[in-house]
């Protein structure tokens, strides 16, 4: 696995344990931030917004886009 891939996965892994608050709401401080950054309405399903948020963080850390 390349260093860039490992960096991406390290970023994603640090969010293990993030949960919705309240459960089932598709909301929470980080989840709302990821949705806003992805231009998705608050309360939207957040799986793609999470990946987008990790990619943005990866870009900042690595300097790649």
């Amino acid at each position: 696995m390349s260093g860039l891939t490992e960096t991406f996965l390290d970023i994603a892994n640090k969010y293990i344990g993030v949960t919705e608050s309240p459960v089932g709401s598709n909301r929470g401080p980080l989840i709302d931030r990821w949705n806003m950054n992805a231009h998705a309405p608050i309360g939207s399903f957040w799986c793609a917004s999470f990946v987008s948020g990790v990619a943005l963080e990866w870009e900042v850390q690595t300097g790649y886009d």
Side-chain angles (χ1 to χ4, degrees):
M1 189 175 335
S2 78
L4 295 175
T5 302
E6 286 183 34
T7 301
F8 190 93
L9 293 174
D10 287 343
I11 294 166
N13 284 335
K14 75 180 186 180
Y15 295 110
I16 290 174
V18 170
T19 59
E20 298 172 0
S21 179
V23 173
S25 68
N26 292 318
R27 302 280 320 264
L30 287 171
I31 295 166
D32 287 351
R33 186 180 83 197
W34 293 325
N35 275 334
M36 287 187 294
N37 287 339
H39 304 285
I42 298 300
S44 296
F45 295 118
W46 54 280
C47 48
S49 297
F50 166 73
V51 174
S52 177
V54 170
L56 287 171
E57 197 170 329
W58 178 87
E59 289 175 1
V60 169
Q61 281 191 23
T62 64
Y64 288 94
D65 61 3

